[in-house]
Amino acid sequence: METIGREKPCEASFSGRRMRWAMKWANDTSDGLLRRPTKIAALLLVSGAFAAGGFAQAPVLVSHGPVDIHVGAERIAEYLPRLTGRRVAVVTNQTGMVGRTHLVDTLLAQQVNVVNVFAPEHGFRGEADAGEHVKDGRDARTKLPLVSLYGANKKPTPEQLANVDVLVFDIQDVGVRFYTYISTLHYIMEAAAENGKAVVVLDRPNPNGFYVDGPVLDRAHTSFVGMHPVPLVHGMTVGEYAGMINGEGWLKGGLRCDLFVVSCTGYDHDVMYQLPVRPSPNLPNMSAVYLYPSLGLFEGTVVSVGRGTEQPFQCIGYPGNPVGQFQFIPRSMPGAKDPPHSGKACTGIDLRAFGSFQSRMERRVRLHWLIGLYREAPDKGTFFLANHFIDKLAGGTDLRERILRGEDEDTIRASWQPALQAFMKVRSKYLLYDDFQR
């Protein structure tokens, strides 16, 4: 793999027990509310949460202040020579921006022969629901053919690559294993290796790249929401991740693709990167992005994470939930056409303030919401969905089984540590930027 631009090596009626759990969930930080049994402060939300060892970090505000970051797509001179005179396919979505101009428009303005665009989950313009089939077609502005890489066609076929010499990948990721853009990356690289095509990855910062945490995937539970033996939060950019896919032989048959990464400048893994464009319809702001690793696990349960509301991935609740007082009603809307519990009043917890503030001070996947809502569920037998989708999200059966056995968060977290230690060693080989401070 070649890399350009690598700068550095790498409420009142609560029972006592329910109250204790509630004291980890609410997000109001005013002193008056600290004395009210139905509200609790965000600062208490993480009470006792720092005892576990490993890679979950003690509280620290991770920020360098203003930094001058240039993403790979902005460094046109570094990759244009590899595209000139060649037939180019672009793998991108609404996040593929070069300043205020989309990458596809930028390349066309540079007289690059762009022959088609491959679009991942949510489509080229990023408007489709999670899991929704995206049809092939043509882009209204450029008239270029659009090929969906979601649904049955997750991997480009030889026919779709017949008129292509180089595939350019430029998609903003959020650093979470079940966020499927890295699965699309895998299939792009695999198809390229099988068909003798080159891949150019234009790197972008990882907004959750300041920590590594969560269960490492068991390869027996590989799926499109988890293809590789990495933690739930892997702490790598897509450029680094591409190098790991290649270097660890994870492509089918151990193939390696012709890979060239254009790295970012001004970025390292201690930087809190603010996304300029929402990466998908239900991650509308940084609070949602920071909460996503923890709340995404609820998608395998009866709990709504706010899809179909104005605060997706910033609240949790469901009809009949005995914990919390926050009320929301999911409804059909763009990006959430048929959300869980649509039209039904859900009760739960508003986590918007927590996601905006506390997430910047902690480096961890938070399990106490998942464990707590399960313990207080009126019907534990239906809390986890019957299809056990939670196992795909968690990367195996272990997390669900431990929660069913009544294990607490510290015990569960401790079970992750050996695999996390091993992953950190693998990860270190592929870092293109200075790592976070542990």
Side-chain angles (χ1 to χ4, degrees), residues 337-356:
K337 292 185 176 68
D338 188 22
H341 307 305
S342 182
K344 298 178 181 179
C346 298
T347 302
I349 311 297
D350 182 359
L351 294 169
R352 282 172 288 188
F354 181 92
S356 298

Side-chain angles (χ1 to χ4, degrees), residues 39-273:
K39 301 273 189 176
I40 29 94
L43 294 177
L44 293 177
L45 197 149
V46 292
S47 174
F50 309 127
F55 297 101
Q57 304 302 302
V60 58
L61 185 60
V62 187
S63 179
H64 286 328
V67 291
D68 187 16
I69 293 175
H70 293 278
V71 301
E74 293 174 326
R75 308 180 65 209
I76 300 174
E78 304 297 344
Y79 59 89
L80 188 58
R82 292 178 174 267
L83 309 183
T84 302
R86 308 183 79 182
R87 298 168 299 177
V88 177
V90 183
V91 187
T92 191
N93 62 6
Q94 80 285 353
T95 66
M97 300 299 291
V98 184
R100 296 180 178 272
T101 305
H102 197 278
L103 174 66
V104 171
D105 300 317
T106 299
L107 295 178
L108 292 173
Q110 295 289 330
Q111 305 302 310
V112 173
N113 182 20
V114 180
V115 296
N116 63 37
V117 175
F118 288 105
E121 183 178 10
H122 305 297
F124 180 42
R125 300 299 179 186
E127 298 168 342
D129 284 12
E132 180 183 3
H133 173 68
V134 180
K135 296 180 180 179
D136 296 348
R138 287 188 177 271
D139 178 47
R141 177 181 297 178
T142 65
K143 309 305 180 183
L144 287 170
L146 295 178
V147 181
S148 172
L149 292 180
Y150 196 70
N153 184 48
K154 293 181 174 68
K155 176 179 172 180
T157 66
E159 293 76 19
Q160 290 167 340
L161 295 178
N163 67 334
V164 173
D165 299 313
V166 184
L167 293 116
V168 177
F169 186 98
D170 184 23
I171 299 177
Q172 177 66 63
D173 190 51
V174 299
V176 182
R177 187 183 61 226
F178 47 65
Y179 203 61
T180 61
Y181 297 155
I182 53 174
S183 298
T184 296
L185 173 65
H186 174 108
Y187 282 130
I188 287 291
M189 294 174 61
E190 191 169 277
E194 292 171 343
N195 293 277
K197 314 299 181 180
V199 175
V200 174
V201 173
L202 306 181
D203 209 9
R204 291 180 179 268
N206 177 356
N208 283 308
F210 54 95
Y211 71 111
V212 172
D213 198 27
V216 172
L217 180 135
D218 176 350
R219 294 299 289 268
H221 292 270
T222 298
S223 72
F224 195 62
V225 294
M227 296 189 68
H228 311 114
V230 303
L232 195 153
V233 180
H234 52 71
M236 304 178 79
T237 67
V238 290
E240 294 170 326
Y241 202 96
M244 183 169 64
I245 291 174
N246 232 14
E248 294 302 304
W250 290 343
L251 300 180
K252 187 167 62 177
L255 288 172
R256 290 174 182 246
C257 82
D258 178 357
L259 176 66
F260 182 78
V261 177
V262 181
S263 64
C264 309
T265 62
Y267 171 74
D268 65 52
H269 285 285
D270 263 332
V271 170
M272 298 288 287
Y273 182 67

